[in-house]
Amino acid sequence: MDIIVCIKQSYDVQQLKFDPKTGEPMLAGAPRKMSDMDRRALEEALKIKENLGGTVKTVTVGPPESRDVVKEIYAMGADEAFVVTDLKLDKADPDLTAKIIVETIKKIGNFDLILAGAASTDDYSWQIPAKVAALLDLPFFPNAVSMTVDGGLVVESDLGDAIYKYKAPLPSVVSVSLEINEPRIPTLSAILKASRKQFTDFYLQDLGLEVVTELEVRKVVMPKVERKNVVVEATDPSKMEDGIKKILDELRKENVI
Amino acid sequence: MEEKFDAIIVGAGAAGLGAAYRLAKYGLNVVVLERGQRIGAKNVYGGRIYTHVFEKEIPEFRKEAPVERWVKKERLTLMNSDDAVTLELFSDFSANDSFIAILSKFNEWLGKKVEDAGGLVIPGIKVDDLIAENGTIKGITAGDEKLYADVVIDAEGINPIIAKKAGLRDDWKPNQVAVGVKEVIKISENTVNDIFQLNEGEGVANLFLGYPTNYALGGGFLYTNKDTISLGVVIRIDSAIAKRIQVYDIIEDFRNHPFIHRILKEGSPIEYSAHLVPEEGLDGIPRNLVGDGILLAGDVAGFVLNRGLTIRGVDLAFLSGLLAAETVKEAHEAGDFSRASLSSYEEKLKNSIVFSELEAFKRASGLLGNLRFYETYPQILCEVLKDAYTVGENSRKIYPILREKMKGRLSLFTMIRDVISAVRNL
Ligand SMILES: Cc1cc2nc3c(=O)[nH]c(=O)nc-3n(C[C@H](O)[C@H](O)[C@H](O)COP(=O)(O)OP(=O)(O)OC[C@H]3O[C@@H](n4cnc5c(N)ncnc54)[C@H](O)[C@@H]3O)c2cc1C
């Protein structure tokens, strides 16, 4: 089976620091990595390939530093990576990103299945896989928690209210959730083997596209969590009772007990 | 595994990356293995790097290196619990440039340079052991994987796990290492410029003696990054133990000292870290820096210069890496990786600034062990100057104040001896 996986290089959100004053993320030079759900989509594709044979190709769209994700992609075991970069793609909206992905997929050619993470670790818009499916006019199965392919594609989708089990046609677009699998950690020998592997580097003009962003992001800020900072002093053990009472009073005042 | 490398390098600090950069430029097949999840993730230091070796080795250095600010002002501050006396040198330092950088970003950049030169840099891999055949090192193991090479350059930093396995060095003793704790505090670029009276791109390196270490052996430091401040304390382990100092509490006290508080009151910490640093100078260097199929570079070899006022290790680490690479290239050409063949590394080091600088400050490590510089002098100086500048009923000259403050704490003879020894040795 020939599979195409959409993989974003997102910010490593756990490493992200926020300006304590403005609450804005400090993005300049912030570490990046393969988006968590996309990594699971790749893992799922590799497992299918290991079972049934075929190829796993990947599409990555983003700012120039996104090229670094290719090392991770190859180390995990993908056959061929395609990357589309442009400085302006840092601010691409989901419509544009989906369009670029689709144009790249058209260049790649034949496929039986498209996989992607349901949402990226940083922007978390949940829109790309559906838009890709729509543009390609393919059926879409969101948020898969499990999938099997032998004897036809079967996808279990978590749609919030319940898990729906679908018999899916091929080709289709499936987005995967975090629970679907535990992605492999590449071995040293796999990393070494992957380290000099070439990838295809597209620019927007190769695809006949340009960056037109209709979405304007006004602000990204950390939610404010105000702490009350109530300190109850109880250094004298004999006054412990008082201290406990004060704590209970505080908690009652907040209506938490 | 099939692929055999010309060299495996353990650790992607300045030492390992220096070695890799040079080897890659020679066209040798080299791989750096780094246990941190990304290059730079595990690297901690104070804040300042001396330019010379980098400038010579990497042509694009000035254009590309992630410099936060160029050091324009050098300051030394002696502190007691309330007051501070500061000596400032304002200069263009054009002859001997140093710059303030975030070490993790700097090493990340060096890693890119290594890759551009054709070397491999692989994070997320911890080297567990060496592969030895008949006493000669042939490669490394990581988990259950093996990797072979003609030679291993051990640049693992301060914690000598691999070097111990190679029989090249022992663990550090408490009087040979210091622990550093550091905070990065976010303020704005303009605030940094205003507070320290700096133009764009200019920085301050400020070192502190006395109160920041609770008068134990060591010092405090403050470096101005672009829009953050690195603030930290370095304390020698034996002194911290003797004085029962909680290293983590002490930086809190330092940050809240009125002199620092007024600088940082607007800011909030965004990062904490801690790391060890060798303090012994020449005496901390192991007898053998090479074995059959292995060389040591950087902190693991003890190449850190501690002049009291400055800790300097990044440039020496990088330079030792370059020299290790040069040695490996010669060994490669001769097809001989025995200890005898690699021992020219030791010669190269002795003829380089790594040793000449350490040699020049050889006696400093004894001098720096003199507690009076951390305890007595900062306090007396603060007290004397405060009294001298205080106008009152009976204003006095400095000398009588000094004699009064010295009473029971310090003899004139000891002070003169200390001053002479400081001037001679630092
Ligand atoms: C608080 C403090 C302040 C300092 N201030 C300054 C300063 O202002 N200026 C200056 O020039 N120097 C300063 N130094 C010294 C300087 O940081 C060091 O000398 C220098 O970073 C040493 O570089 P290195 O490459 O030898 O080691 P490191 O930078 O420690 O690199 C070693 C690397 O090896 C990796 N490693 C270790 N074991 C393994 C393993 N088994 N497998 C794989 N990887 C491994 C580690 O993760 C690490 O990344 C300071 C040090 C401290 C602690």
Side-chain angles (χ1 to χ4, degrees):
Chain A
M1 180 168 315
D2 295 326
I3 307 171
I4 292 176
V5 188
C6 307
I7 296 181
K8 176 178 180 180
Q9 189 201 40
S10 66
Y11 287 105
D12 185 346
V13 175
Q14 276 169 352
Q15 307 277 331
L16 213 53
K17 294 187 185 110
F18 290 81
D19 186 323
K21 228 183 192 158
T22 62
E24 286 174 26
M26 298 162 66
L27 295 178
R32 294 165 157 269
K33 64 168 197 181
M34 192 189 302
S35 191
D36 294 333
M37 292 190 213
D38 296 347
R39 186 185 291 280
R40 282 152 178 87
L42 177 55
E43 173 66 32
E44 206 58 26
L46 293 168
K47 284 204 301 211
I48 295 171
K49 180 190 154 183
E50 280 155 12
N51 268 336
L52 304 180
T55 60
V56 174
K57 295 178 182 170
T58 65
V59 179
T60 299
V61 173
E65 50 274 38
S66 305
R67 294 190 183 106
D68 289 345
V69 82
V70 171
K71 272 190 224 160
E72 288 178 79
I73 290 172
Y74 280 152
M76 281 181 75
D79 297 294
E80 204 179 345
F82 296 80
V83 180
V84 189
T85 57
D86 191 289
L87 272 173
K88 289 194 210 130
L89 286 176
D90 209 12
K91 296 201 176 67
D93 63 28
D95 274 336
L96 177 63
T97 306
K99 210 180 283 166
I100 299 171
I101 290 173
V102 166
E103 289 309 312
T104 313
I105 288 173
K106 285 181 184 159
K107 289 241 172 197
I108 295 174
N110 288 339
F111 60 87
D112 303 306
L113 179 63
I114 294 175
L115 293 180
S120 64
T121 308
D122 50 7
D123 285 343
Y124 216 59
S125 78
W126 297 80
Q127 296 179 37
I128 304 286
K131 287 187 192 288
V132 168
L135 288 170
L136 288 168
D137 207 10
L138 290 175
F140 173 52
F141 301 91
N143 214 26
V145 291
S146 135
M147 55 189 289
T148 50
V149 277
D150 11 81
L153 178 61
V154 176
V155 180
E156 292 184 27
S157 284
D158 183 350
L159 297 188
D161 58 338
I163 290 176
Y164 293 73
K165 194 167 181 173
Y166 297 106
K167 254 198 206 144
L170 289 174
S172 287
V173 177
V174 179
S175 78
V176 311
S177 75
L178 275 181
E179 301 97 277
I180 193 163
N181 60 41
E182 196 46 58
R184 66 195 63 193
I185 297 168
T187 61
L188 177 54
S189 57
I191 298 170
L192 289 175
K193 233 183 270 156
S195 61
R196 299 196 203 275
K197 217 165 141 172
Q198 297 299 310
F199 63 95
T200 307
D201 208 3
F202 282 135
Y203 293 89
L204 290 177
Q205 47 283 26
D206 301 326
L207 305 171
L209 292 170
E210 57 183 310
V211 178
V212 185
T213 313
E214 278 155 30
L215 192 75
E216 182 200 350
V217 178
R218 290 267 171 84
K219 211 167 186 164
V220 179
V221 286
M222 183 141 90
K224 267 220 174 70
V225 185
E226 297 280 356
R227 295 186 193 281
K228 296 230 152 69
N229 281 327
V230 179
V231 177
V232 177
E233 296 267 1
T235 36
D236 182 351
S238 66
K239 305 225 174 83
M240 207 48 104
E241 289 290 325
D242 280 0
I244 293 171
K245 204 178 143 296
K246 275 188 202 147
I247 292 174
L248 289 174
D249 287 348
E250 284 294 333
L251 292 173
R252 285 201 191 95
K253 218 164 68 194
E254 299 294 328
N255 283 327
V256 289
I257 55 170
Chain B
M1 188 153 44
E2 331 74 53
E3 191 172 4
K4 183 181 163 202
F5 285 88
D6 292 322
I8 295 170
I9 295 168
V10 183
L17 293 169
Y21 182 69
R22 204 27 115 67
L23 286 170
K25 281 211 297 197
Y26 289 142
L28 296 188
N29 191 10
V30 56
V31 60
V32 186
L33 304 175
E34 163 58 48
R35 84 190 142 117
Q37 280 310 315
R38 48 173 48 91
I39 304 307
K42 297 245 176 210
N43 306 119
V44 176
Y45 85 144
R48 168 238 300 271
I49 299 174
Y50 289 90
T51 312
H52 60 129
V53 268
F54 296 100
E55 175 135 59
K56 241 196 234 157
E57 182 69 14
I58 307 174
E60 317 79 57
F61 171 79
R62 290 241 168 206
K63 223 170 57 211
E64 286 183 4
V67 170
E68 295 282 317
R69 289 167 182 267
W70 292 92
V71 174
K72 183 76 176 169
K73 296 179 179 178
E74 301 274 2
R75 285 183 175 179
L76 174 64
T77 302
L78 292 106
M79 249 185 189
N80 67 17
S81 56
D82 305 304
D83 309 322
V85 178
T86 298
L87 191 67
E88 178 176 302
L89 171 65
F90 170 85
S91 170
D92 75 348
F93 296 105
S94 52
N96 191 6
D97 269 342
S98 69
F99 59 92
I100 298 167
I102 310 278
L103 188 58
S104 56
K105 282 191 197 158
F106 187 73
N107 283 345
E108 197 184 339
W109 175 74
L110 283 178
K112 288 244 150 58
K113 291 277 108 189
V114 171
E115 290 185 331
D116 291 350
L120 288 178
V121 186
I122 301 182
I125 301 286
K126 177 168 162 281
V127 173
D128 294 313
D129 207 347
L130 294 164
I131 302 170
E133 283 168 21
N134 305 323
T136 298
I137 306 302
K138 296 282 183 193
I140 60 94
T141 67
D144 44 17
E145 295 189 86
K146 289 188 164 80
L147 201 62
Y148 291 92
D150 287 332
V151 67
V152 172
I153 298 177
D154 178 9
E156 66 188 318
I158 184 88
N159 194 5
I161 293 173
I162 301 300
K164 263 177 14 194
K165 296 200 165 164
L168 289 174
R169 85 162 303 141
D170 294 327
D171 276 325
W172 298 89
K173 298 189 193 74
N175 63 350
Q176 294 182 316
V177 278
V179 58
V181 284
K182 170 174 151 179
E183 292 181 354
V184 177
I185 293 142
K186 175 88 176 80
I187 50 183
S188 75
E189 184 172 354
N190 286 335
T191 314
V192 176
N193 294 349
D194 290 348
I195 293 176
F196 295 95
Q197 296 176 308
L198 299 165
N199 292 329
E200 200 189 323
E202 296 175 347
V204 174
N206 197 348
L207 293 134
F208 298 82
L209 286 178
Y211 178 78
T213 59
N214 204 355
Y215 311 108
L217 294 183
F221 60 80
L222 181 156
Y223 292 99
T224 52
N225 302 312
K226 194 161 189 237
D227 56 4
T228 59
I229 298 282
S230 294
L231 185 78
V233 177
V234 179
I235 303 187
R236 211 161 82 183
I237 304 262
D238 57 341
S239 191
I241 295 170
K243 292 202 165 225
R244 293 170 190 275
I245 289 170
Q246 295 295 328
V247 186
Y248 291 91
D249 293 343
I250 211 166
I251 189 164
E252 191 84 21
D253 295 340
F254 182 30
R255 175 161 30 85
N256 289 322
H257 187 285
F259 183 85
I260 300 295
H261 182 74
R262 44 193 298 287
I263 297 173
L264 298 180
K265 59 177 185 288
E266 310 243 316
S268 3
I270 52 170
E271 193 184 302
Y272 298 87
S273 51
H275 205 270
L276 294 176
V277 60
E279 288 263 305
E280 269 281 281
L282 271 189
D283 297 334
I285 297 175
R287 184 170 323 136
N288 294 311
L289 294 168
V290 299
D292 290 310
I294 186 167
L295 307 87
L296 305 185
D299 271 9
V300 70
F303 300 147
V304 175
L305 184 64
N306 183 356
R307 287 166 68 173
L309 307 190
T310 47
I311 296 178
R312 193 177 143 192
V314 175
D315 58 330
L316 301 184
F318 188 76
L319 180 57
S320 67
L322 298 181
L323 297 175
E326 220 175 283
T327 311
V328 165
K329 179 196 167 219
E330 287 161 14
H332 181 82
E333 282 160 2
D336 178 2
F337 297 93
S338 68
R339 167 192 298 231
S341 161
L342 297 177
S343 67
S344 72
Y345 175 48
E346 293 167 344
E347 285 310 306
K348 291 189 178 70
L349 284 164
K350 287 193 177 123
N351 295 327
S352 76
I353 61 152
V354 176
F355 269 68
S356 64
E357 295 278 282
L358 284 166
E359 200 84 59
F361 294 103
K362 190 175 159 107
R363 271 171 304 179
S365 84
L367 175 78
L368 296 170
N370 179 349
L371 204 52
R372 284 187 293 280
F373 285 106
Y374 310 90
E375 203 166 57
T376 321
Y377 295 120
Q379 302 195 63
I380 288 185
L381 190 65
C382 287
E383 291 169 24
V384 167
L385 284 179
K386 186 166 180 182
D387 280 15
Y389 279 103
T390 306
V391 181
E393 304 233 308
N394 45 1
S395 312
R396 291 173 298 162
K397 295 224 169 74
I398 290 200
Y399 188 66
I401 305 175
L402 176 63
R403 289 314 300 255
E404 179 203 305
K405 303 287 181 196
M406 284 167 66
K407 206 171 281 166
R409 292 155 104 182
L410 181 68
S411 76
L412 193 57
F413 175 71
T414 310
M415 184 176 83
I416 291 169
R417 208 182 48 194
D418 283 347
V419 169
I420 291 173
S421 125
V423 172
R424 272 213 195 131
N425 293 319
L426 285 186

